[in-house]
Amino acid sequence: MGKPIRDTLLPYGRQSIDEKDVQSVVDVLRSDWLTTGPMVETFEQEIARFVGARFAVAVSSGTAALHAAMNAISIGPGDEVILPPMTFCATANAVLFCGGTPVFADVDANTLLIDPHDVEAKITPQTKAIVPVDYAGQPCDYDALHTIAERHSIPLITDACHSLGAEYKGKQVGTLADVTVFSFHPVKHITSGEGGMVVTDDPELAANVRRFRNHGIAMEHWQRAERGTWYYEMTDLGFNYRITDFQCALGLSQLQKLPLWIKRRREIAQYYDGVFYQNSVIHPLSRRADVSHAYHLYVTRLEIEQLHTTRAKVFTSLRDEGIGVNVHYIPVHLHPYYKERFNTGPGLCPVAEAAYESIISLPMFHGMTDEDAEDVVSAMRTIVSRYQ
Ligand SMILES: *Cc1c(COP(=O)(O)O)cnc(C)c1O
């Protein structure tokens, strides 16, 4: 096949760490607080300010944030939570952690965002929440979702692990649901190594998440130190989901760069859009007119019937060219755990299942150069013409 387009693999996503990030972490390591110190609170305040919400509570991962959110709205055995299958398994797992039952609503074929019509169809008297996922970084149809949630008096808890910095009808992600969850894993927009955030305007939900991340204890260690008391009360059953001060220092330092990084992601997306516009085989997912997309992922659909090959072969051929494509996601209800425990399987969400057969995520991260993006495009063109 000749020389690959790239000698080293261009990943689908990657963090950027500069000297300022390093210094901010080192400064904390030299300070008095390694965990639950002033950086945690500052990071929380800055995220709350950035998204325009009243409260933000930092935890050890996006998964912990989802678990804390499900706990805060009292999900328990017998409760159903509606969510899309086109997501990372943690979205559904968080419902299971609380003893609830995930109910999968299918996605819209053009955007792969949860389909409000199917949400409505899946509502039962047991439904206790809707958890939309802003897949790839594009906000869902929040007007439609709010209408359904209000009609049934249930909360909207958004998994916004892809959509930090996105907007829907001019409103920031973080203000579009009762609770919003973010992740700071290294492939996400900004990173703290591992880390997550729960954002809400509701003081009681925020207080609940604060206790939950700290064993269900009402007072945090630094507050006790400040008041010079040994006394504390455990009032709920919680976990140790705390995040360290040096992780929050990294997150804070990264946050300063977020607006520029989102701008860069949009530039790359615009370039891909322009190249694949009207391509007969490669179709970028549709973008809603009323949103500002944060492009955690750039997902394309292959018209695989037009090629003498399979999606798997296209995938490995691109990898062989040094292009680190990926597939987001295997629909959650097709994982063995869900199939065996909940009797889910093919046919439950046909749109998501069909999409899964044809999607491919192209490299998309703020540190990509123009040349990186051009390599992706030329590899796509080479592979498609090889099999056409
Ligand atoms: C990354 C991600 C999570 C989990 O976040 P972690 O920080 O890795 O625990 C949950 N949901 C979605 C949609 C994600 O992309």
Side-chain angles (χ1 to χ4, degrees), residues 61-63 66 87-88 90-91 133 159 161-162 183 185 188 195 329:
S61 69
T63 304
L66 284 164
T87 184
F88 184 56
T91 318
V133 176
D159 180 338
C161 291
H162 294 185
S183 162
H185 181 276
K188 307 296 161 72
Y329 290 94

Side-chain angles (χ1 to χ4, degrees), residues 11 31 47 59 87 114 120 136-137 142 161 195 207 216 221 225 248 256 261 272 282 287 301 330 345 357 365 380:
S31 78
I47 288 283
V59 292
T87 184
I114 196 165
E120 185 78 72
Y142 281 97
C161 291
H221 180 70
C248 289
Q256 315 309 314
W261 285 351
Y272 285 156
I282 304 158
R287 204 177 64 221
R301 232 176 329 204
I330 300 164
E357 299 297 331
F365 54 95
M380 289 295 280

Side-chain angles (χ1 to χ4, degrees), residues 68-313:
M70 290 299 111
N71 178 74
I73 58 162
S74 304
I75 296 303
D79 295 340
E80 295 176 358
V81 176
I82 299 178
L83 50 91
M86 193 50 82
T87 184
F88 184 56
C89 55
T91 318
N93 293 352
V95 178
L96 298 184
F97 297 160
C98 292
T101 307
V103 172
F104 296 99
D106 212 343
V107 293
D108 172 82
N110 297 313
T111 58
L112 305 189
L113 296 172
I114 196 165
D115 178 358
H117 298 292
D118 205 37
V119 171
E120 185 78 72
K122 298 282 163 71
I123 298 255
T124 75
Q126 284 70 49
T127 307
K128 290 292 152 55
I130 304 169
V131 182
V133 176
D134 294 338
Y135 176 77
Q138 164 153 258
C140 297
D141 185 351
Y142 281 97
D143 283 350
L145 292 170
H146 271 295
T147 303
I148 299 167
E150 276 162 29
R151 189 181 308 137
H152 299 279
S153 303
I154 51 175
L156 271 187
I157 312 293
T158 287
D159 180 338
C161 291
H162 294 185
S163 60
L164 179 60
E167 290 175 12
Y168 171 84
K169 298 191 175 175
K171 286 198 237 159
Q172 281 274 105
V173 166
T175 62
L176 297 165
D178 298 288
V179 178
T180 306
V181 165
F182 297 108
S183 162
F184 307 119
H185 181 276
V187 297
K188 307 296 161 72
H189 289 86
I190 61 169
T191 188
S192 58
E194 297 279 357
M197 194 75 79
V198 179
V199 166
T200 181
D201 281 345
D202 184 323
E204 280 178 30
L205 292 179
N208 187 299
V209 173
R210 278 183 202 288
R211 288 196 300 276
F212 190 68
R213 75 168 168 193
N214 191 32
H215 310 278
I217 292 169
M219 203 193 299
E220 300 197 43
H221 180 70
W222 64 271
Q223 292 172 306
R224 262 192 284 146
E226 217 162 60
R227 291 180 203 179
T229 176
W230 50 266
Y231 188 73
Y232 63 88
E233 283 177 336
M234 183 194 132
T235 53
D236 313 301
L237 186 62
F239 284 72
N240 177 356
Y241 277 161
R242 294 185 305 258
I243 185 167
T244 66
D245 236 41
F246 51 91
Q247 286 174 300
C248 289
L250 178 56
L252 252 174
S253 177
Q254 294 253 305
L255 183 58
Q256 315 309 314
K257 293 165 271 203
L258 180 59
L260 269 181
W261 285 351
I262 291 174
K263 193 163 157 278
R264 178 61 184 157
R265 284 173 182 269
R266 288 180 182 147
E267 277 171 15
I268 296 162
Q270 204 171 17
Y271 167 68
Y272 285 156
D273 282 349
V275 168
F276 299 126
Y277 176 67
Q278 292 190 331
N279 186 294
S280 61
V281 180
I282 304 158
H283 305 300
L285 288 187
S286 305
R287 204 177 64 221
R288 297 172 52 93
D290 50 6
V291 307
S292 158
H293 199 311
Y295 289 105
H296 164 57
L297 302 173
Y298 190 91
V299 179
T300 61
R301 232 176 329 204
L302 300 178
E303 200 88 49
I304 206 73
E305 317 79 63
Q306 300 207 21
L307 300 178
H308 311 290
T309 188
T310 60
R311 193 262 315 266
K313 192 78 183 72

